Amino acid sequence: MNTTVQRMNEIVEIAVVGAGPCGLAVGIAAEQAGLSCTLFDRGAITQAMLDHPTYVTYFSGPEKLEIGGIPFTTSGDKPSRREALRYYRKTAEFYRLDVRQYEEVTEIARDGELFVLRTQGRGVEHEHRARNVVIATGYYDNPRLLNVPGAELPKVRYYFDEPYPYWNQDVVVIGGGNSSSDAALLCWREGARVTMVHLFDGIDRGVKPWVKPDIENRIAEGSIPALWRHRLVEIRPAEVVAESLDTGERVTLPNDWVLAMTGYEPDPWLLRSLGATIDPVTGIPLHDPATMETDVPGVFVAGVVVSGHDANKIFIENGKLHAPLIAARAAARRG
C-alpha cells in the first residue's frame, strides 16, 4: 500500500516517545524551561491506564501521581482509574502539550546534530526533526509471554479489565501479585471457578494492604484454591497441566481461560537502534542519573524504561522526577 510522507519543517528541542504520565511530565518540564516539545504515542495518552482493570483503585495517593504542580483531587484516599484518566488529560490541556496520539514512532535516525523521527499514523507517514529525543515508552504493552505448549490459544489473556466474561467458567490465574489477586477476587465474586498458580509459596508481600487479607482468606477457606510453587507446563483447549517445582508431580485442571498476570518489561528497541548501551543482565540503559542522558548524546530515558527487567523499581512518583533533569540538560545543550 502506498503511503504519503509528510516532512515537518519545524525543529523541536525535545521529541518524547511515549505519552504516559512520565512522558507528559517531560513535556511539562520542557514547556516550563521554554523548550519546544512534541510527544508521540501509538495509542492515546496514558494508554496503559486505559488497559488497566475498569474499576481499579491505585495504590499511590493522588499527591504522588501529580505532575506539573497541578493538584490531583479525588473523592477518596486513593484515585480511581477514571479519576486518573481525567486528571492527566486536564493537565495536558492546561499546559497545551503537543501530543500526537495514535502516531507511532517507527524509526529514529541521527542526521548531523539532529534526530529524524519517522512516524506512522492513520495511513500517513511523517518525518519530524528534533535536537533531543526522550524514550519514555513504559512497559505495559510488552507482557512476559508464557513459553509453554498451547500458550498461543485465544483463551490465554495477558490483560484483565473486568470479570463478567468469566461467569460460570473455569479460570486459572497465574501469579501472586496485585494484578493476580485483583483478577482472582473479582472473577470469583462474579461466579467464576478460580484457581491460582504461583511459582512462590504465598501471596506476594507487595500486594495492596486492603487486598492481601481478602485473597488470603479466600484461599484459606478453599473458595479460591491455590497451587503454590507450581508452574503451568501445558495449556490445552479444555484443561491445563501444572507441575510442582518441588516434586515434579503434575496435576490436570479443567480450564476455559488462563489469565496470565506474569508482568511486563520495557522493550528498548528504539534505544538499541540509536546505539545506546543496554546492560545485558539488568536490561538497564546506560545513562547519567543526574541528567538521564544515555551514552548517546541527546538521547534520554524517562520512566519505567530506566528500570530494565525489574519494573518494580520505577513508578510514576519517582519516574516523573526524571523530567526536570532532562529539561535542564536539554537547555544546557542548546546553550
Coordinates of all heavy atoms in Angstrom, one line a residue, residues 245-282:
L245 N 7.1 -27.5 41.5 CA 8.6 -27.2 41.4 C 9.4 -28.1 42.4 O 10.6 -28.3 42.2 CB 8.8 -25.7 41.7 CG 8.2 -24.7 40.8 CD1 8.6 -23.3 41.3 CD2 8.6 -24.9 39.4
D246 N 8.7 -28.6 43.4 CA 9.4 -29.4 44.4 C 9.5 -30.9 44.1 O 10.5 -31.5 44.2 CB 8.8 -29.2 45.8 CG 8.8 -27.8 46.2 OD1 9.9 -27.1 46.0 OD2 7.8 -27.3 46.8
T247 N 8.4 -31.4 43.6 CA 8.3 -32.9 43.4 C 8.2 -33.3 41.9 O 8.5 -34.5 41.6 CB 7.0 -33.5 44.1 OG1 5.9 -32.9 43.5 CG2 7.0 -33.1 45.6
G248 N 7.9 -32.3 41.1 CA 7.7 -32.7 39.7 C 6.4 -33.3 39.4 O 6.1 -33.6 38.2
E249 N 5.5 -33.5 40.4 CA 4.2 -34.1 40.2 C 3.4 -33.1 39.4 O 3.4 -31.9 39.6 CB 3.6 -34.4 41.6 CG 2.2 -35.0 41.4 CD 1.6 -35.3 42.8 OE1 2.3 -35.0 43.8 OE2 0.4 -35.8 42.8
R250 N 2.5 -33.7 38.5 CA 1.7 -32.9 37.6 C 0.2 -33.1 38.0 O -0.2 -34.2 38.4 CB 1.9 -33.2 36.2 CG 3.4 -32.9 35.7 CD 3.5 -33.0 34.2 NE 4.8 -32.4 33.8 CZ 5.2 -32.2 32.5 NH1 4.3 -32.5 31.5 NH2 6.3 -31.7 32.2
V251 N -0.5 -32.0 37.8 CA -2.0 -32.0 38.1 C -2.7 -31.4 36.9 O -2.2 -30.4 36.3 CB -2.3 -31.3 39.4 CG1 -1.9 -29.9 39.4 CG2 -3.8 -31.4 39.6
T252 N -3.8 -32.0 36.4 CA -4.5 -31.5 35.3 C -5.8 -30.9 35.8 O -6.5 -31.5 36.6 CB -4.9 -32.7 34.3 OG1 -3.6 -33.2 33.8 CG2 -5.7 -32.1 33.2
L253 N -6.1 -29.7 35.4 CA -7.3 -28.9 35.8 C -8.2 -28.6 34.7 O -7.7 -28.3 33.6 CB -6.8 -27.6 36.5 CG -5.8 -27.6 37.6 CD1 -5.4 -26.2 37.9 CD2 -6.4 -28.3 38.8
P254 N -9.5 -28.7 34.9 CA -10.4 -28.2 33.8 C -10.2 -26.7 33.6 O -10.0 -26.0 34.6 CB -11.8 -28.6 34.3 CG -11.6 -28.7 35.8 CD -10.2 -29.2 36.0
N255 N -10.3 -26.3 32.4 CA -10.0 -24.9 32.2 C -10.6 -24.3 30.9 O -10.6 -24.9 29.9 CB -8.5 -24.7 32.1 CG -8.1 -23.2 31.8 OD1 -7.7 -22.9 30.7 ND2 -8.1 -22.4 32.8
D256 N -11.2 -23.1 31.1 CA -11.8 -22.3 30.0 C -10.9 -21.1 29.6 O -10.9 -20.7 28.5 CB -13.2 -21.9 30.3 CG -14.1 -23.0 30.5 OD1 -14.3 -23.9 29.6 OD2 -14.7 -23.1 31.7
W257 N -10.3 -20.5 30.7 CA -9.5 -19.3 30.5 C -8.2 -19.3 31.3 O -8.2 -19.8 32.5 CB -10.3 -18.0 30.8 CG -11.5 -17.9 30.0 CD1 -12.8 -18.3 30.4 CD2 -11.7 -17.3 28.8 NE1 -13.7 -18.0 29.4 CE2 -13.0 -17.3 28.4 CE3 -10.7 -16.7 27.9 CZ2 -13.5 -16.8 27.2 CZ3 -11.2 -16.2 26.7 CH2 -12.6 -16.2 26.3
V258 N -7.2 -18.7 30.8 CA -5.9 -18.5 31.5 C -5.6 -17.0 31.6 O -5.5 -16.4 30.5 CB -4.7 -19.3 30.9 CG1 -3.4 -18.9 31.6 CG2 -5.0 -20.8 30.9
L259 N -5.6 -16.5 32.8 CA -5.3 -15.1 32.9 C -3.9 -15.0 33.4 O -3.6 -15.3 34.6 CB -6.2 -14.4 34.0 CG -7.7 -14.4 33.6 CD1 -8.5 -13.7 34.7 CD2 -8.0 -13.8 32.2
A260 N -3.0 -14.7 32.5 CA -1.5 -14.8 32.8 C -1.1 -13.4 33.3 O -0.7 -12.6 32.5 CB -0.7 -15.2 31.5
M261 N -1.1 -13.2 34.6 CA -0.7 -11.9 35.1 C 0.8 -12.0 35.5 O 1.2 -12.0 36.6 CB -1.5 -11.6 36.4 CG -3.0 -11.6 36.2 SD -3.6 -10.2 35.2 CE -3.8 -11.0 33.6
T262 N 1.6 -12.2 34.4 CA 3.0 -12.6 34.5 C 3.9 -11.4 34.5 O 5.1 -11.5 34.5 CB 3.4 -13.5 33.4 OG1 2.9 -13.0 32.1 CG2 2.8 -14.9 33.6
G263 N 3.4 -10.2 34.5 CA 4.2 -9.0 34.5 C 4.6 -8.5 33.1 O 4.3 -9.1 32.1
Y264 N 5.3 -7.4 33.1 CA 5.7 -6.7 31.9 C 7.1 -6.2 32.0 O 7.7 -6.1 33.1 CB 4.7 -5.5 31.6 CG 3.3 -5.9 31.8 CD1 2.7 -5.8 33.0 CD2 2.5 -6.4 30.7 CE1 1.3 -6.2 33.2 CE2 1.2 -6.8 30.9 CZ 0.6 -6.7 32.1 OH -0.7 -7.1 32.3
E265 N 7.7 -5.9 30.9 CA 9.1 -5.3 30.9 C 9.3 -4.4 29.7 O 8.6 -4.7 28.6 CB 10.2 -6.4 31.0 CG 10.2 -7.4 29.9 CD 11.3 -8.4 30.1 OE1 11.9 -8.5 31.2 OE2 11.6 -9.2 29.1
P266 N 10.1 -3.4 29.8 CA 10.3 -2.5 28.7 C 10.9 -3.2 27.5 O 11.7 -4.2 27.6 CB 11.2 -1.4 29.2 CG 11.1 -1.5 30.7 CD 10.8 -3.0 31.0
D267 N 10.6 -2.7 26.3 CA 11.3 -3.1 25.1 C 12.1 -2.0 24.5 O 11.6 -1.0 23.9 CB 10.2 -3.5 24.0 CG 10.8 -4.0 22.7 OD1 12.1 -4.1 22.7 OD2 10.1 -4.3 21.8
P268 N 13.5 -2.0 24.8 CA 14.3 -0.9 24.4 C 14.8 -0.9 23.0 O 15.9 -0.5 22.7 CB 15.5 -1.0 25.4 CG 15.6 -2.5 25.6 CD 14.2 -3.1 25.4
W269 N 14.0 -1.4 22.0 CA 14.5 -1.5 20.7 C 14.9 -0.2 20.0 O 15.8 -0.1 19.3 CB 13.5 -2.2 19.8 CG 12.2 -1.4 19.5 CD1 11.1 -1.3 20.2 CD2 12.0 -0.6 18.3 NE1 10.2 -0.5 19.5 CE2 10.7 0.0 18.4 CE3 12.8 -0.3 17.2 CZ2 10.2 0.8 17.4 CZ3 12.3 0.6 16.2 CH2 11.0 1.1 16.4
L270 N 14.1 0.9 20.4 CA 14.5 2.2 19.8 C 15.9 2.7 20.4 O 16.7 3.2 19.6 CB 13.4 3.3 20.2 CG 12.2 3.4 19.2 CD1 11.2 4.3 19.8 CD2 12.6 3.8 17.8
L271 N 16.1 2.4 21.6 CA 17.4 2.8 22.2 C 18.5 2.0 21.5 O 19.6 2.6 21.2 CB 17.4 2.5 23.7 CG 16.6 3.5 24.6 CD1 16.4 2.9 26.0 CD2 17.2 4.9 24.6
R272 N 18.3 0.7 21.3 CA 19.3 -0.1 20.6 C 19.6 0.4 19.2 O 20.7 0.5 18.7 CB 18.9 -1.5 20.6 CG 19.0 -2.2 22.0 CD 19.0 -3.7 21.8 NE 19.2 -4.4 23.1 CZ 18.2 -4.9 23.8 NH1 17.0 -4.7 23.5 NH2 18.5 -5.5 25.0
S273 N 18.5 0.8 18.5 CA 18.7 1.3 17.2 C 19.5 2.6 17.1 O 20.1 2.9 16.1 CB 17.3 1.5 16.5 OG 16.6 2.6 17.0
L274 N 19.4 3.4 18.2 CA 20.2 4.6 18.2 C 21.6 4.4 18.7 O 22.4 5.3 18.8 CB 19.5 5.6 19.2 CG 18.2 6.2 18.6 CD1 17.4 6.8 19.7 CD2 18.6 7.2 17.5
G275 N 21.9 3.2 19.1 CA 23.3 2.9 19.6 C 23.5 3.0 21.1 O 24.7 2.9 21.5
A276 N 22.4 3.2 21.8 CA 22.6 3.3 23.3 C 22.9 1.9 23.9 O 22.5 0.9 23.4 CB 21.3 3.8 23.9
T277 N 23.7 1.9 24.9 CA 24.2 0.7 25.6 C 23.1 0.2 26.5 O 22.7 1.0 27.4 CB 25.5 0.9 26.3 OG1 26.5 1.4 25.3 CG2 26.0 -0.4 27.0
I278 N 22.8 -1.1 26.5 CA 21.8 -1.7 27.4 C 22.5 -2.8 28.1 O 23.2 -3.7 27.5 CB 20.6 -2.3 26.6 CG1 20.0 -1.3 25.6 CG2 19.6 -2.8 27.6 CD1 19.3 -0.1 26.3
D279 N 22.5 -2.7 29.5 CA 23.2 -3.8 30.3 C 22.5 -5.1 29.9 O 21.3 -5.3 30.0 CB 23.0 -3.5 31.7 CG 23.8 -4.4 32.6 OD1 23.3 -5.6 32.8 OD2 24.9 -4.1 33.1
P280 N 23.3 -6.1 29.5 CA 22.8 -7.4 29.1 C 22.1 -8.2 30.2 O 21.3 -9.1 29.9 CB 24.0 -8.1 28.5 CG 25.2 -7.5 29.2 CD 24.8 -6.1 29.4
V281 N 22.5 -7.9 31.4 CA 22.0 -8.7 32.6 C 20.7 -8.0 33.1 O 19.7 -8.6 33.3 CB 23.0 -8.9 33.7 CG1 22.4 -9.6 34.9 CG2 24.2 -9.6 33.1
T282 N 20.8 -6.7 33.5 CA 19.7 -6.0 34.1 C 18.7 -5.4 33.1 O 17.6 -5.1 33.5 CB 20.3 -4.8 35.0 OG1 20.9 -3.9 34.1 CG2 21.3 -5.4 36.0

